[in-house]
Amino acid sequence: GQQVMQIPQYQHVQEGEDFTTYCNSSTTLSNIQWYKQRPGGHPVFLIQLVKSGEVKKQKRLTFQFGEAKKNSSLHITATQTTDVGTYFCAGRDSGGGNKLTFGTGTQLKVEL
Amino acid sequence: KAGVTQTPRYLIKTRGQQVTLSCSPISGHRSVSWYQQTPGQGLQFLFEYFSETQRNKGNFPGRFSGRQFSNSRSEMNVSTLELGDSALYLCASSEGVWGSPLHFGNGTRLTVT
């Protein structure tokens, strides 16, 4: 079945440093969504990418969808303590269906 | 709009028992998905219901079942509980159309002893 891996699993950064998490799927994706889960909370939708090579920005966050639609990345510029949490990518297989397969997640910790 | 509501928030059960979890989606959302979250396995898809029909199913044993009612509320049932079923069970609602984002509830924390 479809597998979605994320690296790194954990990342500790100093406030102000940049952060990137990478998402890789075993199959071609029809779209990819990103979610953030704060400690003790539930995943919250951030953004969706659909087109090959698509890049979207939300303030300090930059999301990219790979040309082959099998990988994606999330880059945070100048991290803040409010960025703490686990970031998940989630993809829908291009073979059909509406099942979202979540990545393994990257846990971000930001130290002052 | 009110968010996704899951009840109960916490449950403690013993092995062999069964449990029913409830989820009320955002008003107007016709799709409800269930996920199991554990530290070791991450977010694992259980099933998705749309307009009272199971539309997708994950790779969980038949002990895990669900249903959706005409008002879109959904229940998930786990029978013959095992220790490994201890997890956070998350319900997510969406409009159900392609590309619609998932809106998660706060989850039900199930502990099996």
Side-chain angles (χ1 to χ4, degrees):
Chain A
Q2 180 187 38
Q3 292 187 341
V4 181
M5 303 297 292
Q6 281 182 254
I7 55 170
Q9 188 175 2
Y10 303 98
Q11 185 84 61
H12 288 196
V13 299
Q14 295 288 321
E15 190 178 42
E17 292 182 336
D18 292 355
F19 159 78
T20 303
T21 172
Y22 299 92
C23 173
N24 294 287
S25 170
S26 59
T27 59
T28 303
L29 301 170
S30 57
N31 65 346
I32 195 154
Q33 297 179 352
W34 284 89
Y35 292 79
K36 175 185 178 182
Q37 184 173 22
R38 294 181 184 274
H42 56 270
V44 175
F45 173 77
L46 294 176
I47 207 161
Q48 174 172 260
L49 303 170
V50 177
K51 299 176 184 176
S52 170
E54 187 171 14
V55 178
K56 285 188 176 181
K57 292 189 177 184
Q58 285 182 349
K59 297 183 180 178
R60 296 178 294 105
L61 278 61
T62 302
F63 304 83
Q64 188 165 4
F65 202 6
E67 293 292 338
K69 301 184 78 173
K70 293 183 72 173
N71 61 288
S72 181
S73 65
L74 157 60
H75 179 82
I76 301 178
T77 303
T79 55
Q80 300 175 357
T81 55
T82 53
D83 295 325
V84 165
T86 301
Y87 292 85
F88 293 96
C89 61
R92 278 191 177 87
D93 197 295
S94 62
N98 288 315
K99 185 178 82 171
L100 264 184
T101 299
F102 276 77
T104 47
T106 296
Q107 185 178 345
L108 172 65
K109 291 191 176 181
V110 180
E111 299 172 355
L112 292 172
Chain B
K1 280 186 179 179
V4 178
T5 304
Q6 289 188 249
T7 56
R9 288 296 307 277
Y10 302 94
L11 265 178
I12 300 176
K13 292 285 188 179
T14 56
R15 277 180 301 175
Q17 287 186 315
Q18 75 164 16
V19 67
T20 299
L21 312 182
S22 181
C23 173
S24 293
I26 291 173
S27 177
H29 284 188
R30 296 165 64 189
S31 168
V32 173
S33 299
W34 289 88
Y35 286 83
Q36 181 194 65
Q37 186 171 32
T38 58
Q41 297 296 318
L43 278 158
Q44 298 290 313
F45 175 79
L46 282 154
F47 27 66
E48 180 207 5
Y49 286 87
F50 182 83
S51 294
E52 301 180 67
T53 301
Q54 188 179 84
R55 188 159 68 169
N56 282 287
K57 189 176 187 303
N59 299 320
F60 278 80
R63 300 185 296 108
F64 291 81
S65 62
R67 58 178 177 169
Q68 186 179 33
F69 302 95
S70 58
N71 61 358
S72 293
R73 191 177 70 84
S74 177
E75 287 182 347
M76 190 191 97
N77 186 77
V78 189
S79 63
T80 320
L81 284 166
E82 300 177 359
L83 293 179
D85 296 334
S86 295
L88 178 67
Y89 289 88
L90 290 162
C91 163
S93 76
S94 75
E95 294 175 1
V97 297
W98 189 92
S100 52
L102 300 182
H103 299 265
F104 284 86
N106 288 324
T108 293
R109 172 77 61 185
L110 173 64
T111 302
V112 182
T113 62

